[in-house]
Amino acid sequence: MPTPAPSPQATAIVALARALRAEALGCRQRRVLLVSGEVGWCERQALAVLAALPGLATTWLSARASPPQAEPLGAARKLLGGELALLVYDAHGGFDPDAFGAATGALIGGGLLLLLTPPLAEWSTLTDPQTARLAPWPHPPQPGGRFIARLARVLASDPALAHIDQSQPPAHWPQPAPRAPAPAPPPAPDAEGAASADQARAIAAVLRVARGRAHRPLVLSAHRGRGKSAALGIAARRLLAEAEDYRILVTAPNRGAAATLLGHAGSHSGLDFVAPADLLDRHPAADLVLVDEAAAIPAPLLEGLLHRYPRLVFAATVHGYEGTGRGFELRFRDALERHTPGWRLERLEQPIRWAAHDPLETLGFRALLLDAAIPAIDPPSSTTLAGITCERLDRDTLAGDETTLGALFGLLVQAHYQTRPADLRMLLDGPGVRVYACRLAGRVVATLIASAEGGIDDPALRAAIFEGRRRPRGHLLPQTLSAHAGLAEAPALRALRVVRIATHPALRRHGLGARLLTTLQAAARAEGLDLVGTSFGATPELLAFWRHQGWRLAQVGTSRNAASGEHAVVLLAACSAAGERLATRAERRLGARIGVLLAGPLRALDPRIAAALLSALPPPSRNALEEDIAELHAFANAHRTLEASLAPLAGLTRVRLAETLRAGRITPDEAALLVACALQLHAPATLVERFSASGREALTEQLRMVTGRLLEAAMPGAGADKTTPRTP
């Protein structure tokens, strides 16, 4: 049978798509064709466009099974590092902000985005299956809501976007330009392979790291499409050409994320890709380590690389679906300053993958708030601080207030390097989400995002959670406390979990975080809730902040969190009598188990963090130490061996560490040494290396001295032995 002739509508859309493609090629920018209407109609128009533009590198993303060539939205991750000329993004099966950000970043100059949506006026009222990621049990998928309503407004008001609306006659559609411009050639690389002055400067900076003094790492920071990954690859190719025995290791969140780097470096026996965790575990030798898409790698892993390798280059995307380079830069800056104060930062501004002022980049920034920035604030005075107010924000109002929304999301981007476009959707539409903010002269300067959890009345479901058979979506606190801390009653209690908290850098250490938490707790008590809680990757600094607010340590994860690379902890503050009973029980149970955990599944935990955890827990009774006092004094003041003293030293550490550390009688490093030795049972050789001791004898002397300080305070049964001098 002959192929049916295309409809007049399809003919008009194909002509417009061809014209947009030619226009894009003529200026090396990307173009967007929005087709809105009924799902089957939109799909037919997209298929007609694909048939009219054959031979292009094309991907069709959709949560629906049709058409057969469509890939699931999750496949957008695989596009990282790749290049597309034509992208079809079908939003009829749901809109995933992360997938949209990842996929559009793969479109090159001259590329065309074909965006298929329901009618814009109706879109926010239609059920969106992607909201299932936001909705806690037992909520079903929700309508598109505030996020989609805002997105529809952004699309409808974009002057550079061509919109085909099924409800309008073709005469009202955008018309193709009468004459197509000649294609513009891509920028010609220089003799060294750089396609821009920024990229040439970045390549030179990488070469300086390789050839210059050690322990001066480089951070390359750029928006997508600026050629930072290619710069790493070009520099690697030059270094490998200069010396046959030179060895470069490349790491990234996955091998696909390093595809551009590896492609520009070329095949060479001196170049290998190694996963970040394997770099730390196996520590293969390298003259230079290149870390691509560093913002998506847990900061503790990156910090570990600073200890292991003397020559490092980190490349991070400023705004991206997988995390933010700006937040990464700020979070990682402390580690760089601490370990390698000679580090350098290079920013790449000039786009290479597409020309400047690209309409799709502008649309992506605006739609997903990827370029959300925090306002500049003068150093605060007592007068300005007195004018700060704290309030819960109405999310309907927030969704329509671009200034406030941008400032608030900018704070989250700046404070949390894993902030993604999907977090904007959670912020606006997550069921049970509350948004609080501090304002200074009307501007948002701090924010707290909380989510309602718990209140699970079904005894059978609570039993299944306790037994590890069920993990109801969106109930992190009660599920963790029940399945991992052994508190079967936890899911019945109603709680608010602090999901994010962020303060403007100029106003940190002025109590804004504490004010937000106080406001949240007051609201929880007024609502009759039982608990407020939080879960985060443990660091000594974060633990100190939450403990200072009076929150109690309830649980420690026994494995590293995939996002943070740290062990997650749960802290609670009670808002009712039932909440007080649960928080007290959780703290007591963790205190009784922490010794076993540190000697077993938490043995590899950073001893500084372990010491901070111990300091946050109530110490055991001192009575248990009475029989051990003589042994401890014999170790501290005489020649009793470390091996013979480990058991009593573990008890002394549990009982006295927190009080002695708070009093300043020992330093955090000395506390960490005690924990690593007596509770985590690290071998002496490991302790010598980790704590930079000159040898085992020096390490033992340090342990004797610290033990003596723990014994200095009067203890039951200590008697005169407390001051027994060391015998020669």
PDB file of all heavy atoms in Angstrom, residues 415-429:
ATOM      1  N   ALA A 415      24.093  25.992  49.306  1.00  0.00           N
ATOM      2  CA  ALA A 415      24.419  25.297  50.554  1.00  0.00           C
ATOM      3  C   ALA A 415      24.559  23.791  50.383  1.00  0.00           C
ATOM      4  O   ALA A 415      25.271  23.150  51.148  1.00  0.00           O
ATOM      5  CB  ALA A 415      23.347  25.590  51.601  1.00  0.00           C
ATOM      6  N   HIS A 416      23.884  23.217  49.398  1.00  0.00           N
ATOM      7  CA  HIS A 416      23.857  21.756  49.266  1.00  0.00           C
ATOM      8  C   HIS A 416      24.285  21.379  47.853  1.00  0.00           C
ATOM      9  O   HIS A 416      23.542  21.605  46.900  1.00  0.00           O
ATOM     10  CB  HIS A 416      22.464  21.209  49.560  1.00  0.00           C
ATOM     11  CG  HIS A 416      21.991  21.489  50.947  1.00  0.00           C
ATOM     12  ND1 HIS A 416      22.274  20.666  52.004  1.00  0.00           N
ATOM     13  CD2 HIS A 416      21.287  22.527  51.449  1.00  0.00           C
ATOM     14  CE1 HIS A 416      21.743  21.174  53.108  1.00  0.00           C
ATOM     15  NE2 HIS A 416      21.147  22.301  52.798  1.00  0.00           N
ATOM     16  N   TYR A 417      25.467  20.773  47.724  1.00  0.00           N
ATOM     17  CA  TYR A 417      25.996  20.546  46.384  1.00  0.00           C
ATOM     18  C   TYR A 417      25.236  19.462  45.627  1.00  0.00           C
ATOM     19  O   TYR A 417      25.428  19.303  44.432  1.00  0.00           O
ATOM     20  CB  TYR A 417      27.493  20.226  46.431  1.00  0.00           C
ATOM     21  CG  TYR A 417      27.859  18.785  46.716  1.00  0.00           C
ATOM     22  CD1 TYR A 417      28.306  17.947  45.708  1.00  0.00           C
ATOM     23  CD2 TYR A 417      27.776  18.263  47.993  1.00  0.00           C
ATOM     24  CE1 TYR A 417      28.658  16.638  45.951  1.00  0.00           C
ATOM     25  CE2 TYR A 417      28.143  16.961  48.260  1.00  0.00           C
ATOM     26  CZ  TYR A 417      28.576  16.150  47.237  1.00  0.00           C
ATOM     27  OH  TYR A 417      28.916  14.860  47.501  1.00  0.00           O
ATOM     28  N   GLN A 418      24.335  18.733  46.299  1.00  0.00           N
ATOM     29  CA  GLN A 418      23.529  17.745  45.597  1.00  0.00           C
ATOM     30  C   GLN A 418      22.156  18.285  45.209  1.00  0.00           C
ATOM     31  O   GLN A 418      21.300  17.532  44.763  1.00  0.00           O
ATOM     32  CB  GLN A 418      23.357  16.499  46.467  1.00  0.00           C
ATOM     33  CG  GLN A 418      24.600  15.623  46.535  1.00  0.00           C
ATOM     34  CD  GLN A 418      24.904  14.922  45.226  1.00  0.00           C
ATOM     35  OE1 GLN A 418      24.021  14.670  44.427  1.00  0.00           O
ATOM     36  NE2 GLN A 418      26.157  14.600  45.000  1.00  0.00           N
ATOM     37  N   THR A 419      21.913  19.584  45.373  1.00  0.00           N
ATOM     38  CA  THR A 419      20.629  20.159  44.976  1.00  0.00           C
ATOM     39  C   THR A 419      20.428  19.997  43.472  1.00  0.00           C
ATOM     40  O   THR A 419      21.308  20.326  42.686  1.00  0.00           O
ATOM     41  CB  THR A 419      20.559  21.645  45.363  1.00  0.00           C
ATOM     42  OG1 THR A 419      20.674  21.754  46.786  1.00  0.00           O
ATOM     43  CG2 THR A 419      19.241  22.253  44.924  1.00  0.00           C
ATOM     44  N   ARG A 420      19.245  19.488  43.093  1.00  0.00           N
ATOM     45  CA  ARG A 420      18.950  19.186  41.698  1.00  0.00           C
ATOM     46  C   ARG A 420      17.663  19.880  41.266  1.00  0.00           C
ATOM     47  O   ARG A 420      16.890  20.337  42.108  1.00  0.00           O
ATOM     48  CB  ARG A 420      18.785  17.677  41.513  1.00  0.00           C
ATOM     49  CG  ARG A 420      20.008  16.874  41.891  1.00  0.00           C
ATOM     50  CD  ARG A 420      19.763  15.406  41.679  1.00  0.00           C
ATOM     51  NE  ARG A 420      20.964  14.621  41.933  1.00  0.00           N
ATOM     52  CZ  ARG A 420      21.100  13.350  41.596  1.00  0.00           C
ATOM     53  NH1 ARG A 420      20.125  12.728  40.983  1.00  0.00           N
ATOM     54  NH2 ARG A 420      22.215  12.698  41.856  1.00  0.00           N
ATOM     55  N   PRO A 421      17.398  19.914  39.953  1.00  0.00           N
ATOM     56  CA  PRO A 421      16.124  20.471  39.503  1.00  0.00           C
ATOM     57  C   PRO A 421      14.913  19.795  40.142  1.00  0.00           C
ATOM     58  O   PRO A 421      13.905  20.450  40.407  1.00  0.00           O
ATOM     59  CB  PRO A 421      16.165  20.247  37.992  1.00  0.00           C
ATOM     60  CG  PRO A 421      17.624  20.281  37.653  1.00  0.00           C
ATOM     61  CD  PRO A 421      18.317  19.633  38.821  1.00  0.00           C
ATOM     62  N   ALA A 422      14.997  18.479  40.399  1.00  0.00           N
ATOM     63  CA  ALA A 422      13.865  17.789  41.023  1.00  0.00           C
ATOM     64  C   ALA A 422      13.550  18.352  42.402  1.00  0.00           C
ATOM     65  O   ALA A 422      12.403  18.256  42.867  1.00  0.00           O
ATOM     66  CB  ALA A 422      14.155  16.293  41.126  1.00  0.00           C
ATOM     67  N   ASP A 423      14.527  18.944  43.069  1.00  0.00           N
ATOM     68  CA  ASP A 423      14.269  19.537  44.380  1.00  0.00           C
ATOM     69  C   ASP A 423      13.362  20.752  44.272  1.00  0.00           C
ATOM     70  O   ASP A 423      12.642  21.079  45.219  1.00  0.00           O
ATOM     71  CB  ASP A 423      15.586  19.922  45.055  1.00  0.00           C
ATOM     72  CG  ASP A 423      16.404  18.706  45.448  1.00  0.00           C
ATOM     73  OD1 ASP A 423      15.813  17.753  45.976  1.00  0.00           O
ATOM     74  OD2 ASP A 423      17.625  18.706  45.210  1.00  0.00           O
ATOM     75  N   LEU A 424      13.397  21.448  43.136  1.00  0.00           N
ATOM     76  CA  LEU A 424      12.480  22.564  42.932  1.00  0.00           C
ATOM     77  C   LEU A 424      11.046  22.049  42.881  1.00  0.00           C
ATOM     78  O   LEU A 424      10.128  22.664  43.445  1.00  0.00           O
ATOM     79  CB  LEU A 424      12.834  23.300  41.634  1.00  0.00           C
ATOM     80  CG  LEU A 424      11.922  24.457  41.240  1.00  0.00           C
ATOM     81  CD1 LEU A 424      11.937  25.548  42.303  1.00  0.00           C
ATOM     82  CD2 LEU A 424      12.333  25.022  39.879  1.00  0.00           C
ATOM     83  N   ARG A 425      10.852  20.913  42.231  1.00  0.00           N
ATOM     84  CA  ARG A 425       9.507  20.336  42.166  1.00  0.00           C
ATOM     85  C   ARG A 425       9.051  19.859  43.545  1.00  0.00           C
ATOM     86  O   ARG A 425       7.899  20.044  43.928  1.00  0.00           O
ATOM     87  CB  ARG A 425       9.490  19.188  41.159  1.00  0.00           C
ATOM     88  CG  ARG A 425       8.097  18.660  40.918  1.00  0.00           C
ATOM     89  CD  ARG A 425       7.956  17.889  39.629  1.00  0.00           C
ATOM     90  NE  ARG A 425       6.561  17.871  39.232  1.00  0.00           N
ATOM     91  CZ  ARG A 425       6.100  17.229  38.181  1.00  0.00           C
ATOM     92  NH1 ARG A 425       6.914  16.565  37.385  1.00  0.00           N
ATOM     93  NH2 ARG A 425       4.820  17.262  37.890  1.00  0.00           N
ATOM     94  N   MET A 426       9.955  19.237  44.292  1.00  0.00           N
ATOM     95  CA  MET A 426       9.623  18.820  45.656  1.00  0.00           C
ATOM     96  C   MET A 426       9.232  20.018  46.510  1.00  0.00           C
ATOM     97  O   MET A 426       8.254  19.984  47.261  1.00  0.00           O
ATOM     98  CB  MET A 426      10.825  18.096  46.267  1.00  0.00           C
ATOM     99  CG  MET A 426      10.645  17.654  47.721  1.00  0.00           C
ATOM    100  SD  MET A 426      11.074  18.935  48.942  1.00  0.00           S
ATOM    101  CE  MET A 426      12.833  19.097  48.665  1.00  0.00           C
ATOM    102  N   LEU A 427       9.995  21.090  46.395  1.00  0.00           N
ATOM    103  CA  LEU A 427       9.748  22.301  47.160  1.00  0.00           C
ATOM    104  C   LEU A 427       8.352  22.860  46.894  1.00  0.00           C
ATOM    105  O   LEU A 427       7.640  23.275  47.818  1.00  0.00           O
ATOM    106  CB  LEU A 427      10.823  23.329  46.784  1.00  0.00           C
ATOM    107  CG  LEU A 427      10.683  24.759  47.281  1.00  0.00           C
ATOM    108  CD1 LEU A 427      11.022  24.822  48.747  1.00  0.00           C
ATOM    109  CD2 LEU A 427      11.614  25.676  46.495  1.00  0.00           C
ATOM    110  N   LEU A 428       7.939  22.850  45.631  1.00  0.00           N
ATOM    111  CA  LEU A 428       6.660  23.453  45.269  1.00  0.00           C
ATOM    112  C   LEU A 428       5.473  22.511  45.439  1.00  0.00           C
ATOM    113  O   LEU A 428       4.362  22.971  45.742  1.00  0.00           O
ATOM    114  CB  LEU A 428       6.708  23.940  43.815  1.00  0.00           C
ATOM    115  CG  LEU A 428       7.628  25.132  43.531  1.00  0.00           C
ATOM    116  CD1 LEU A 428       7.663  25.427  42.038  1.00  0.00           C
ATOM    117  CD2 LEU A 428       7.178  26.356  44.317  1.00  0.00           C
ATOM    118  N   ASP A 429       5.686  21.197  45.260  1.00  0.00           N
ATOM    119  CA  ASP A 429       4.542  20.288  45.164  1.00  0.00           C
ATOM    120  C   ASP A 429       4.573  19.084  46.097  1.00  0.00           C
ATOM    121  O   ASP A 429       3.585  18.348  46.146  1.00  0.00           O
ATOM    122  CB  ASP A 429       4.412  19.769  43.723  1.00  0.00           C
ATOM    123  CG  ASP A 429       3.987  20.847  42.755  1.00  0.00           C
ATOM    124  OD1 ASP A 429       3.072  21.625  43.100  1.00  0.00           O
ATOM    125  OD2 ASP A 429       4.571  20.936  41.665  1.00  0.00           O
TER     126      ASP A 429
END
